[in-house]
């Protein structure tokens, strides 16, 4: 290979490696998309929704006629027989009866029973969709939480590593100063103890990060590889009142309760049909061959209208009606309570989300102050105006300020997604369209 080709080849291989690393980066939307398609609980709930949808088709079938085709064939062998005159018969009465019949039945009026059954089935589908949305939002919020936990623990690990390096240098300096008699043994032990704590905290940070990555894999279905920092929030309503109005229409728990009341209403109305008449119409056509020993063939056409009106059922229908009334009352009370809880939850998360902005600003100020304090304390130590414990405490304050800031920032991102969840808008499709 020519020497001039080596740099070009090296550049090409480096480009491939960088491109591969870039391709492995995962955004919050990537994690949500993966969990949305791979989560087994979500897939099971989708299958359950398909099953509920069949109830509507079954209810719709009650408006359509039923058509039945019957056919029969037999082989009849006659034995000895005697005529009324007392003389033995000598004819052959063996036969093979064959018949075909077609029957069509149509319900004309069922006391509105079919109508309310259809409406109930339609409400059950909406309720099942809300149940799916509830599980979907719970899983996606868990994905966001797991994603953010990994980000926070990664940063904590970096802070712990830097803290350990800082304290290692302080301990080396303290050892030199102690050997020269510039500081006391107390100062040396303080540096040694601080370094021991830093080493222990670093080990704990690694364990915490490992656990967060395991939790992430369990929720998302893939390993946490090169997660991108979150630097955007989903679009949120302009006001609390708007958020509440959205939640009243979209929050899955509330939609479930609303549809539960609708289902109970149609169940109650369906019970009234037990006190009303029903009317059906049926028509049949029959062909019969060799059905009797004296008849070779016949056909028959028949149209029947049937009116039925239950007059007394021993109190059973009235009892069922009272039970349905109580079930409707219960569903209504649950709906009222669920709406109150939904509004309270939206208010709580909304307030916490905007309060988090104040906490971030405070955390930024605290970090800036901690950095200035550390720099000033180290400078003061170098001229003999501060002691070892002052430097160690300033470094600990700086570490805590770093952790508090990164935690506050990511908590605000989490609360933005939680706010979407309390409004019923935390879905894959909505996030793709609303991420700024």
């Amino acid at each position: 290979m020519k020497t001039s080709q080596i740099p070009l080849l090296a550049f090409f291989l480096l480009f491939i490696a960088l491109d591969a690393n870039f391709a492995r980066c995962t955004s919050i939307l990537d994690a949500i998309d993966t969990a949305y398609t791979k989560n087994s609980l979500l897939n099971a709930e989708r299958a359950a929704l398909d099953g509920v949808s069949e109830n509507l088709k079954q209810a719709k079938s009650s408006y359509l006629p039923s058509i039945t085709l019957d056919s029969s064939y037999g082989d009849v062998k006659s034995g000895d027989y005697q005529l009324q005159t007392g003389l033995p018969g000598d004819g052959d009465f063996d036969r093979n009866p064959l018949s075909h019949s077609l029957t069509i039945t149509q319900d004309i009026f069922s006391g509105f029973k079919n109508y309310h059954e259809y409406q109930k089935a339609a409400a059950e589908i909406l309720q099942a969709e809300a149940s799916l949305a509830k599980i979907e939002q719970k899983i996606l919020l868990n994905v966001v939480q797991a994603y953010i936990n990994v980000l926070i623990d990664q940063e904590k690990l970096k802070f712990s590593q830097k803290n350990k390096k800082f304290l290692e240098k302080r301990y080396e300096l303290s050892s030199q100063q102690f050997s020269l008699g510039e500081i006391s043994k107390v100062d040396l032990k303080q540096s040694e103890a601080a370094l021991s704590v830093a080493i222990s905290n670093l080990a704990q940070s690694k364990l915490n990060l490992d656990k967060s990555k395991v939790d992430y894999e369990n929720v998302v279905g893939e390993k946490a590889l090169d997660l991108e920092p979150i630097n955007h929030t989903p679009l949120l309503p302009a006001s609390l009142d708007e958020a509440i109005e959205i939640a009243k229409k979209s929050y899955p728990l509330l939609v479930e309760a609303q549809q539960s009341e609708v289902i109970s209403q149609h169940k109650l109305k369906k019970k009234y049909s037990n006190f009303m008449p029903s009317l059906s119409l049926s028509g049949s056509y029959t062909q019969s061959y060799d059905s009797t020993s004296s008849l070779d063939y016949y056909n028959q056409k028949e149209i029947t209208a049937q009116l039925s009106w239950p007059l007394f059922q021993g109190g059973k229908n009235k009892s069922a009606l009272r039970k349905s009334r109580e079930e409707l009352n219960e569903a209504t009370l649950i709906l009222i309570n669920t709406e109150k809880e939904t509004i309270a939850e939206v208010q709580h998360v909304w307030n916490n989300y905007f309060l988090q902005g104040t906490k971030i600003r405070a955390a930024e100020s605290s970090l800036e102050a901690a950095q200035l304090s550390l720099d000033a304390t180290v400078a003061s130590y170098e001229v003999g105006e501060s002691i070892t414990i002052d430097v160690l405490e300033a470094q600990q304050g700086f570490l805590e300020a770093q952790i508090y800031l990164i935690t506050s920032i990511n908590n605000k991102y989490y609360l933005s997604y939680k706010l979407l969840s309390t409004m019923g808008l935390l879905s894959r499709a909505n996030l793709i369209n609303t991420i700024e």
Side-chain angles (χ1 to χ4, degrees):
M1 180 180 292
K2 295 181 180 179
T3 305
S4 61
Q5 292 178 328
I6 293 178
L8 181 60
L9 178 60
F11 175 78
F12 179 74
L13 293 176
L14 178 61
F15 176 82
I16 293 176
L18 291 174
D19 184 68
N21 287 333
F22 177 77
R24 287 199 300 270
C25 290
T26 302
S27 69
I28 183 66
L29 287 181
D30 292 332
I32 287 173
D33 190 63
T34 301
Y36 183 83
T37 55
K38 291 187 175 182
N39 189 276
S40 58
L41 182 58
L42 268 180
N43 290 331
E45 195 66 20
R46 293 185 187 110
L49 176 58
D50 291 338
V52 174
S53 299
E54 294 300 321
N55 292 340
L56 186 63
K57 297 177 182 179
Q58 294 173 18
K60 188 183 294 183
S61 68
S62 62
Y63 288 98
L64 302 174
S66 64
I67 303 175
T68 305
L69 178 64
D70 292 315
S71 184
S72 65
Y73 175 79
D75 185 10
V76 180
K77 301 293 185 182
S78 60
D80 296 336
Y81 65 94
Q82 181 176 303
L83 301 176
Q84 291 182 350
T85 60
L87 297 175
D90 58 357
D92 184 4
F93 286 95
D94 293 349
R95 54 192 175 86
N96 297 108
L98 173 65
S99 67
H100 308 290
S101 67
L102 180 67
T103 304
I104 301 177
T105 304
Q106 173 68 62
D107 286 337
I108 305 300
F109 180 70
S110 62
F112 302 106
K113 178 179 180 181
N114 293 340
Y115 170 79
H116 292 299
E117 182 63 30
Y118 181 85
Q119 295 300 323
K120 181 176 77 71
E124 287 172 344
I125 291 179
L126 295 177
Q127 187 181 51
E129 289 175 346
S131 178
L132 173 60
K134 177 180 65 178
I135 295 176
E136 177 182 323
Q137 292 202 148
K138 180 180 179 181
I139 290 173
L140 296 188
L141 190 61
N142 288 342
V143 170
V144 174
Q145 181 69 79
Y147 191 101
I148 288 176
N149 286 345
V150 172
L151 294 180
I152 291 176
D153 287 337
Q154 284 176 341
E155 292 302 311
K156 285 183 178 180
L157 179 59
K158 292 177 183 178
F159 296 152
S160 296
Q161 290 170 337
K162 291 179 180 179
N163 184 55
K164 175 176 172 291
K165 289 181 181 179
F166 177 89
L167 293 176
E168 283 176 339
K169 292 180 180 179
R170 300 306 306 179
Y171 179 69
E172 291 175 2
L173 178 61
S174 295
S175 297
Q176 293 173 3
Q177 291 175 325
F178 178 73
S179 63
L180 296 175
E182 296 178 358
I183 62 172
S184 67
K185 189 174 183 179
V186 172
D187 293 320
L188 178 63
K189 288 298 182 181
Q190 287 174 339
S191 294
E192 182 181 0
L195 177 58
S196 297
V197 171
I199 293 173
S200 175
N201 289 341
L202 176 59
Q204 185 63 53
S205 295
K206 291 178 179 178
L207 291 176
N208 292 342
L209 178 57
D210 290 341
K211 182 180 183 303
S212 293
K213 288 183 175 181
V214 170
D215 293 341
Y216 175 93
E217 185 175 357
N218 290 336
V219 174
V220 177
E222 289 184 353
K223 293 183 180 297
L225 299 175
D226 296 329
L227 304 188
E228 295 179 356
I230 302 176
N231 53 17
H232 49 249
T233 59
L235 294 175
L236 299 174
S239 66
L240 175 59
D241 290 339
E242 183 181 351
I244 291 174
E245 289 305 313
I246 293 173
K248 286 181 179 180
K249 298 176 182 178
S250 304
Y251 187 53
L253 277 175
L254 186 55
V255 174
E256 272 189 318
Q258 290 168 345
Q259 295 307 316
S260 179
E261 185 187 40
V262 173
I263 291 170
S264 296
Q265 288 172 347
H266 287 291
K267 282 184 177 180
L268 175 60
K269 293 176 181 178
K270 185 181 173 182
K271 296 300 181 185
Y272 280 107
S273 67
N274 293 330
F275 299 91
M276 302 178 71
S278 61
L279 176 64
S280 64
L281 185 66
S282 64
S284 64
Y285 177 75
T286 304
Q287 288 183 339
S288 183
Y289 302 88
D290 205 12
S291 59
T292 68
S293 58
S294 60
L295 189 62
D296 287 335
Y297 166 80
Y298 80 91
N299 62 58
Q300 177 179 300
K301 300 175 183 178
E302 181 180 356
I303 297 178
T304 304
Q306 182 174 351
L307 176 67
S308 177
W309 196 332
L311 298 179
F312 180 70
Q313 301 292 327
K316 177 181 178 181
N317 290 340
K318 288 186 177 181
S319 176
L321 185 64
R322 290 192 296 270
K323 180 181 178 182
S324 292
R325 284 200 187 104
E326 294 304 321
E327 290 175 349
L328 176 57
N329 290 336
E330 179 185 5
T332 301
L333 292 173
I334 291 175
L335 173 59
I336 293 172
N337 185 63
T338 303
E339 183 171 333
K340 290 179 180 178
E341 291 178 349
T342 299
I343 293 173
E345 181 67 9
V346 172
Q347 291 173 334
H348 175 71
V349 178
W350 178 275
N351 292 333
N352 277 345
Y353 172 75
F354 286 98
L355 176 62
Q356 202 65 30
T358 303
K359 290 183 178 180
I360 290 173
R361 290 189 290 273
E364 290 172 339
S365 298
S366 296
L367 179 59
E368 183 180 0
Q371 179 70 71
L372 292 173
S373 177
L374 176 60
D375 294 342
T377 303
V378 171
S380 177
Y381 180 85
E382 291 175 352
V383 297
E385 295 180 359
S386 297
I387 59 177
T388 300
I389 190 64
D390 295 331
V391 176
L392 299 179
E393 288 179 348
Q395 170 61 17
Q396 182 62 27
F398 177 61
L399 174 64
E400 291 174 355
Q402 287 177 304
I403 294 174
Y404 183 64
L405 176 59
I406 194 66
T407 302
S408 298
I409 292 173
N410 282 285
N411 281 346
K412 184 176 182 180
Y413 288 131
Y414 171 77
L415 287 171
S416 69
Y417 285 94
K418 186 173 177 60
L419 183 56
L420 279 185
S421 176
T422 59
M423 294 186 296
L425 299 181
L426 184 58
S427 66
R428 174 175 171 267
N430 187 59
L431 288 175
I432 291 174
N433 294 327
T434 60
I435 292 292
E436 290 181 329

